[in-house]
Amino acid sequence: MSSAKFITFEGVDGAGKSTHLEWFANALRQRGINLLVTREPGGTPLGERLREILLNQPMHAETEALLMFAARREHVEQVIRPALKSGTWVISDRFSDASFAYQGGGRGVPLAKLEQLEQWVHADLQPDLTLLFDIPIEVARQRLSNNVSLDRFEQERGEFFERVRQAYLVRAAKTPQRFAVIRAENAIPEVHQELAKIVATF
Ligand code: TYD
């Protein structure tokens, strides 16, 4: 079945994307949709090992970009494509838009280099839909401050996240037909209402 959809969730750390992803996945399941939830970096045994390194080990910005795409290569081949091919929908907690936002916007890796990697790793595969959880950075930082331990990205300064947020919004503006931008500072029931409208379109 070629109608299985590939949906990605994106946003700065602290936007609440993971909580909303769970709700969204359950809502789809309730509609009888067979789906797989996965994440990046990660999603495969090698990808999860790379995640460990990426979240903890300081490295050059371009090394970071290369490792993100290396993990993605495994993920696309081993998990995403086979699932879609067998008719299973895939929801991924982050995908390449995160590389454009964090490594591109946040760290300053040239977009042309990231575009080359994107071409290399998944030229013929793009998400059917990307939910971008957009939130003012002060609000996201406030939410993160409740976490006991912060990873290498979460420890970055506010300005880093401002650049990440802007890069996400630029990316959404470039391909608006693929993106749904969700105002993530709204109360949870309001966000769920927006998500329910999207679920109802399937
Ligand atoms: P995240 O979804 O925030 O994991 P958790 O909710 O468990 O903290 O993802 C981990 C981090 O990886 C996040 O800070 C963003 C970063 N990241 C990139 O910088 N580039 C990428 O391409 C991806 C997929 C993630």
Side-chain angles (χ1 to χ4, degrees):
M1 268 209 303
S2 56
S3 60
K5 298 211 182 301
F6 176 31
I7 302 172
T8 58
F9 275 55
E10 299 283 358
V12 297
D13 295 88
K17 128 194 101 53
S18 304
T19 314
H20 295 310
L21 189 153
E22 223 177 290
W23 189 92
F24 187 82
N26 281 332
L28 286 182
R29 287 194 187 100
Q30 276 167 21
R31 285 177 79 87
I33 293 168
N34 189 13
L35 64 87
L36 184 111
V37 174
T38 184
R39 69 169 180 182
E40 289 204 353
T44 65
L46 174 58
E48 291 295 326
R49 290 177 73 180
L50 290 172
R51 180 187 177 90
E52 244 337 275
I53 298 170
L54 279 160
L55 266 47
N56 298 298
Q57 165 77 50
M59 64 185 77
H60 189 278
E62 293 190 358
T63 309
E64 195 175 275
L66 288 163
L67 288 180
M68 290 290 180
F69 274 98
R72 186 162 298 130
R73 185 76 182 124
E74 287 294 298
H75 196 207
V76 166
E77 290 315 307
Q78 288 193 19
V79 177
I80 300 173
R81 256 191 237 284
L84 293 173
K85 213 172 154 198
S86 74
T88 302
W89 291 36
V90 176
I91 302 184
S92 187
D93 191 341
R94 300 193 185 281
F95 193 61
S96 288
D97 296 312
S99 299
F100 283 89
Y102 282 79
Q103 282 67 54
R107 304 257 195 248
V109 174
L111 292 192
K113 289 188 174 176
L114 297 171
E115 279 162 4
Q116 280 180 347
L117 291 172
E118 184 185 33
Q119 276 299 307
W120 189 4
V121 168
H122 59 95
D124 54 348
L125 177 78
Q126 280 295 340
D128 295 294
L129 172 68
T130 297
L131 303 189
L132 172 57
F133 290 82
D134 183 54
I135 192 166
I137 297 307
E138 320 81 77
V139 183
R141 303 299 287 160
Q142 189 59 41
R143 291 184 182 174
L144 275 186
S145 66
N146 300 327
N147 290 12
V148 270
S149 69
L150 297 178
D151 67 39
R152 209 161 62 77
F153 294 99
E154 292 165 341
Q155 285 167 22
E156 285 290 341
R157 301 163 179 280
E159 307 95 80
F160 174 86
F161 286 103
E162 292 289 357
R163 294 196 300 273
V164 172
R165 181 187 186 197
Q166 288 315 314
Y168 267 132
L169 290 172
V170 165
R171 195 127 166 106
K174 266 191 200 160
T175 44
Q177 66 286 2
R178 173 163 70 86
F179 277 87
V181 180
I182 314 275
R183 295 170 58 89
E185 80 266 38
N186 287 348
I188 290 178
E190 283 176 68
V191 174
H192 286 174
Q193 258 179 23
E194 275 197 64
L195 297 183
K197 278 190 211 152
I198 294 171
V199 170
T201 66
F202 295 129

